[in-house]
């Protein structure tokens, strides 16, 4: 074609020259060698990071990540390896250009880093950021990306631009894209946020069955409360809290120890064991009475706390809330091992929400463009918390109680001690002032939300079961509808509240946001500050800390 910068062979090689072999790894686990060509065009397989082991096997995934270590983050989706392979071919092996199909997730989170490298070593010269794609009847949305050496015009979504940013937006000198696209991990944030447990089997039990277990004796003389726990999922946060429980034998209990919890073990033996004994992963088969991924680090991190912060991985609105430490979060939740109102306020603020929306990616392709994703590595571990209030500064997890601010505590009856504001203990005086302001604003916001969700005029508190052998229940009261208010209460959800965003909610968030901005020293902050300016400042802080 006239003007094309590459020398192309006008005749395709015969089909019998096509090789059917792994394009990423050799049989010995080393990186595969591609033949010398001018252009590569392809539609690599779409397998998400969390599904790679199930689809490809542990050995292959470990070999792949080891071979590409230092070039791709460990949490990258499979499609990213084709992009990185083509990028190196362009940089070192004479490949002219590549055009590849990817899911939209390549524009965010860990995945975007491969496009960051591509934009640094060559250029993205054509892209369709959001394109409908139908494959075997399944309709999804993808990104189409062309990169390499190019001497003609650059086009994004069919229009000419000067440059395409790694997140497949139009690069502007004064925009966020003037920075390297993806933020760097902050070491101060590690070991605090965790994905919830993966059960892999029917460990779930109904509320009435859980209460029956909790009232039953065991031959070991121990309470079933040690292995029967409330289960928390995303619907408990965005919708109404459910009465779901789970049999949880933890990380270390042997099968002979587990069977002494007679009723719970019988449930798992009957419903979980047959399914797990046919599982492809040896460890899942051998330890069939335990969760597939019981998250020991999460358990250690929340041990000793009376509550922790949770947020759904995927949700229309980025909302955080507290759950009691007796609850076990399932795999589609992110748990943050902190109990104070200050960190709850930092996470709930517009500053952190904007950050998570920018770097977290999108799941699904609904009419509204899918749901935002909250990712531990991309959203939490990169977030630059205010100086003195980083997770490392509060790693001791101790708190101190201060009086609530204007508006007072939650008007519903609360357990003793919960009417105060909890802030991290042992802070420097100047930092403590900001921690109190953030904690008070966050407590006020949470109290208002809880009263809207569960109006005392419509609800009653039912004390939870007291397990056999205990004097008091370790579980919070259940909140049930008063007679005649079932339908009204069913409509009170966080999703509906944030869809409507009444004036009182907006005002409470603005108060919180101002307190958080003050902790960063942003004297010029106002509600009119654009999200891009917020992100620019946070990203600059992230980069500055990385230098030290």
């Amino acid at each position: 074609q006239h003007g094309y910068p590459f020398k192309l062979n006008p005749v395709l090689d015969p089909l019998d020259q096509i090789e059917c072999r792994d394009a990423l790894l050799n049989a010995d686990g080393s990186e595969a060698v591609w033949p010398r060509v001018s252009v590569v065009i392809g539609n690599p397989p779409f397998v998400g990071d969390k599904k790679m082991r199930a689809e490809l096997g542990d050995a292959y995934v470990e070999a792949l990540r080891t071979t590409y270590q230092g070039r791709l983050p460990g949490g990258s989706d499979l499609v990213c390896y084709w992009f990185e392979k083509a990028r190196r071919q362009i940089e070192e092996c004479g490949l002219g250009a590549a055009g590849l199909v990817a899911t939209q997730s390549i524009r965010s989170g860990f995945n975007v880093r491969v496009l960051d490298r591509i934009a640094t070593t060559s250029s993205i010269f054509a892209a369709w950021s959001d394109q409908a794609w139908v494959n075997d009847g399944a309709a999804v949305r993808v990104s189409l990306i062309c990169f390499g050496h190019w001497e003609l015009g650059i086009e994004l979504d069919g229009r000419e631009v000067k440059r395409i940013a790694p997140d497949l937006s139009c690069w502007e000198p004064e925009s966020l894209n003037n920075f390297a696209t993806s933020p760097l991990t902050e070491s101060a944030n590690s070991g605090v946020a965790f994905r919830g447990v993966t059960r892999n089997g029917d460990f779930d039990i109904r509320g009435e069955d859980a209460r029956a277990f909790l009232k039953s004796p065991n031959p070991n003389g121990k309470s079933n409360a040690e292995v029967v726990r409330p289960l928390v999922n995303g619907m408990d946060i965005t919708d109404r809290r459910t009465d779901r429980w789970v049999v949880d034998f933890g990380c270390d209990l042997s099968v002979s120890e587990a069977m002494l919890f007679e009723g719970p073990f019988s449930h798992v033996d009957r419903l979980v064991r047959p399914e797990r004994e046919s599982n492809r992963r040896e460890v899942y088969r051998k330890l069939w009475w335990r969760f597939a991924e019981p998250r020991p680090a999460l358990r250690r991190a929340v041990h000793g706390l009376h509550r922790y912060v949770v947020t759904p991985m995927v949700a229309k609105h980025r909302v955080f809330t507290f759950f009691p430490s007796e609850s076990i979060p399932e795999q589609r939740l992110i748990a943050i091992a902190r109990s104070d109102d200050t960190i709850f306020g930092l996470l709930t603020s517009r500053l952190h929400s904007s950050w998570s929306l920018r770097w977290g990616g999108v799941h699904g392709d609904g009419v509204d463009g899918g749901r935002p994703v909250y990712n531990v590595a991309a959203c939490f571990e990169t977030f630059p918390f205010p100086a003195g209030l980083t997770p490392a500064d509060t790693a001791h997890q101790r708190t101190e109680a201060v009086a609530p601010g204007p508006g007072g505590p939650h008007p519903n009856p609360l357990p003793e001690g919960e009417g105060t504001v909890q802030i991290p203990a042992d802070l420097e005086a100047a930092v403590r002032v900001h921690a109190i302001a953030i904690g008070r604003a966050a407590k006020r916001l949470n109290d208002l939300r809880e009263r809207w969700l569960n109006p005392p005029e419509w609800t009653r508190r039912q004390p939870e079961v007291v397990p056999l052998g205990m004097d008091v229940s370790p579980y919070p009261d259940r909140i049930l509808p008063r007679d005649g208010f079932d339908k009204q209460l069913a409509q009170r959800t966080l999703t509906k509240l944030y869809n409507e965003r009444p004036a009182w909610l907006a005002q409470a968030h603005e108060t919180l946001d101002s307190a958080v901005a003050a902790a960063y020293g942003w004297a010029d902050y106002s509600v009119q500050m654009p999200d891009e300016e917020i992100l620019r400042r946070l990203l600059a802080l992230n980069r500055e800390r990385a230098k030290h």
Side-chain angles (χ1 to χ4, degrees):
Q1 181 177 351
H2 177 69
Y4 202 84
F6 313 118
K7 182 179 180 181
L8 297 178
N9 185 343
V11 179
L12 292 175
D13 288 334
L15 290 179
D16 59 9
Q17 298 299 312
I18 295 176
E19 299 181 32
C20 183
R21 60 183 174 89
D22 195 325
L24 295 176
L25 295 180
N26 295 319
D28 62 0
S30 60
E31 186 173 350
V33 177
W34 286 4
R36 187 178 180 88
V37 296
S38 298
V39 178
V40 168
I41 299 173
N43 177 15
F46 303 155
V47 181
D49 167 52
K50 302 304 180 185
K51 295 183 178 180
M52 284 171 61
R53 291 185 181 275
E55 295 283 338
L56 305 173
D58 291 341
Y60 185 87
V61 172
E62 290 300 327
L64 188 65
R65 290 178 175 170
T66 299
T67 301
Y68 285 80
Q69 188 173 11
R71 295 160 58 186
L72 284 177
S76 301
D77 293 345
L78 181 62
V79 70
C80 295
Y81 291 86
W82 267 266
F83 278 80
E84 168 56 24
K85 176 67 175 175
R87 185 205 66 79
R88 173 166 280 190
Q89 292 289 120
I90 292 169
E91 184 180 28
E92 301 178 1
C93 304
L95 178 64
L100 301 177
V101 183
T103 60
Q104 288 199 73
S105 63
I106 199 166
R107 299 189 289 157
S108 58
F110 274 140
N111 294 335
V112 77
R113 297 187 185 181
V114 71
L115 299 186
D116 206 359
R117 285 169 61 82
I118 288 170
T120 300
T121 59
S122 59
S123 71
I124 302 172
F125 60 80
W128 291 260
S129 59
D130 181 9
Q131 188 76 15
W133 185 272
V134 178
N135 185 21
D136 292 333
V140 296
R141 305 198 71 82
V142 301
S143 297
L144 311 176
I145 306 165
C146 303
F147 56 97
H149 304 296
W150 188 252
E151 298 174 1
L152 304 179
I154 297 174
E155 289 190 0
L156 173 64
D157 297 325
R159 57 189 176 89
E160 189 169 338
V161 296
K162 292 183 178 180
R163 183 175 171 184
I164 299 174
D167 66 346
L168 305 187
S169 65
C170 180
W171 188 93
E172 297 291 345
E174 299 303 320
S175 76
L176 277 173
N177 298 318
N178 197 32
F179 294 92
T181 299
S182 51
L184 301 175
T185 299
E186 301 236 351
S187 59
N189 298 7
S190 61
V192 179
F194 306 89
R195 192 172 181 179
V197 302
T198 301
R199 302 189 298 288
N200 198 312
D202 190 8
F203 291 87
D204 298 15
I205 51 179
R206 300 176 302 173
E208 54 264 38
D209 294 329
R211 294 179 186 92
F213 286 152
L214 293 170
K215 294 179 180 179
S216 300
N218 288 308
N220 60 5
K222 296 182 178 181
S223 170
N224 279 326
E226 294 187 23
V227 298
V228 174
R229 304 178 65 181
L231 180 69
V232 182
N233 67 9
M235 295 295 288
D236 291 298
I237 300 173
T238 61
D239 203 331
R240 299 294 302 177
R241 298 191 181 183
T242 58
D243 189 22
R244 299 177 64 202
W245 295 65
V246 68
V247 176
D248 173 20
F249 288 120
C251 306
D252 303 314
L253 218 60
S254 68
V255 68
S256 59
E257 292 170 320
M259 65 177 58
L260 294 175
F261 295 94
E262 194 169 14
F265 182 83
S266 176
H267 171 89
V268 174
D269 187 41
R270 178 169 52 89
L271 297 179
V272 177
R273 185 175 187 172
E275 179 182 349
R276 285 282 287 274
E277 286 187 333
S278 61
N279 195 283
R280 294 198 312 176
R281 294 191 67 176
E282 181 182 7
V283 67
Y284 292 178
R285 294 195 305 272
K286 291 178 63 175
L287 303 178
W288 55 265
W289 66 96
R290 300 182 194 167
F291 294 161
E293 302 294 341
R295 311 296 185 206
L298 165 62
R299 295 168 189 266
R300 290 192 297 269
V302 302
H303 179 72
L305 300 180
H306 73 286
R307 64 182 183 179
Y308 57 89
V309 181
V310 288
T311 190
M313 284 185 64
V314 180
K316 182 178 180 180
H317 305 287
R318 181 49 49 205
V319 290
F320 294 81
T321 190
F322 286 111
F323 271 92
S325 57
E326 292 81 14
S327 302
I328 192 82
E330 69 172 12
Q331 62 182 341
R332 300 296 288 174
L333 293 184
I334 301 299
I336 296 97
R338 291 293 185 271
S339 63
D340 60 274
D341 293 294
T342 300
I343 196 167
F344 170 76
L346 290 168
L347 295 171
T348 302
S349 71
R350 177 190 175 197
L351 283 70
H352 182 68
S353 294
S354 298
W355 183 267
S356 67
L357 289 171
R358 178 66 176 80
W359 308 118
V362 175
H363 174 79
D365 305 291
V367 294
D368 55 358
R371 293 286 191 266
V373 174
Y374 192 87
N375 180 295
V376 170
C379 301
F380 185 89
E381 293 184 348
T382 62
F383 183 68
F385 286 85
L389 291 174
T390 71
D393 296 318
T394 61
H396 52 71
Q397 295 185 328
R398 294 188 302 276
T399 62
E400 66 166 299
V402 298
H410 192 295
N412 277 351
L414 290 173
E416 184 178 355
E418 289 193 18
T420 58
V421 176
Q422 301 295 315
I423 69 168
D426 306 325
L427 297 176
E428 295 183 3
V431 176
R432 185 173 181 274
V433 171
H434 292 299
I436 291 173
I438 295 169
R440 283 175 170 168
K443 180 72 165 62
R444 174 64 173 161
L445 168 63
N446 199 37
D447 287 348
L448 290 170
R449 288 193 329 192
E450 287 298 320
R451 195 184 193 285
W452 185 90
L453 290 168
N454 301 299
E457 300 85 356
W458 293 359
T459 59
R460 60 183 177 87
R461 288 181 175 269
Q462 173 71 43
E464 191 50 274
V465 63
V466 178
L468 191 69
M470 294 187 178
D471 296 325
V472 296
S473 176
Y475 313 108
D477 295 344
R478 283 186 286 161
I479 298 178
L480 302 174
R482 293 182 185 270
D483 291 343
F485 289 99
D486 300 66
K487 292 183 179 180
Q488 293 96 319
L489 202 61
Q491 296 300 311
R492 294 293 178 104
T493 70
L494 271 184
T495 297
K496 183 174 181 180
L497 176 61
Y498 278 86
N499 281 343
E500 296 176 352
R501 201 172 180 88
W504 63 262
L505 180 64
Q507 184 182 61
H509 270 283
E510 289 172 12
T511 301
L512 173 61
D513 297 339
S514 295
V516 172
Y520 285 95
W522 297 359
D524 60 339
Y525 175 81
S526 73
V527 68
Q528 285 79 32
M529 180 177 284
D531 285 350
E532 185 160 306
E533 177 59 24
I534 292 172
L535 291 168
R536 185 198 316 281
R537 295 183 184 192
L538 292 175
L539 191 53
L541 180 58
N542 171 274
R543 291 290 169 178
E544 181 62 29
R545 288 181 180 172
K547 296 177 182 178
H548 302 91

